[in-house]
Amino acid sequence: NVTVTVTQLPVITSFTATPATINSGQSSTLAWAVSGATSLSINQGIGTVTGTSRAVSPTATTTYTLTATNSVGSVTANVTVTV
């Protein structure tokens, strides 16, 4: 049997919004690169996410927090979409 023990926190390599500035009614794509996570979530009512991107359409300037979690703990990164 092989036992794998996770001893490091996840690593968020990048968390970006493209475009970072939008007009009301437009969308921005949040994209991330994460390693070592077993789950990912974004605040502002988005919740658990999978994959590497998510489109958002805020009506006001909004800061999004990405949380990457594994058995060791959690790390976060922030990005702001300006409206």
Side-chain angles (χ1 to χ4, degrees):
N1 292 337
V2 175
T3 301
V4 176
T5 302
V6 176
T7 58
Q8 291 184 324
L9 288 167
V11 175
I12 300 174
T13 304
S14 65
F15 184 38
T16 60
T18 306
T21 301
I22 62 172
N23 295 317
S24 184
Q26 294 181 325
S27 66
S28 176
T29 298
L30 306 181
W32 53 87
V34 178
S35 60
T38 54
S39 67
L40 299 171
S41 63
I42 299 175
N43 67 343
Q44 304 297 349
I46 295 175
T48 300
V49 293
T50 58
T52 58
S53 67
R54 174 72 178 258
V56 295
S57 299
T59 57
T61 296
T62 303
T63 297
Y64 295 91
T65 301
L66 173 69
T67 302
T69 303
N70 66 15
S71 59
V72 177
S74 299
V75 294
T76 61
N78 300 313
V79 70
T80 299
V81 176
T82 302
V83 179

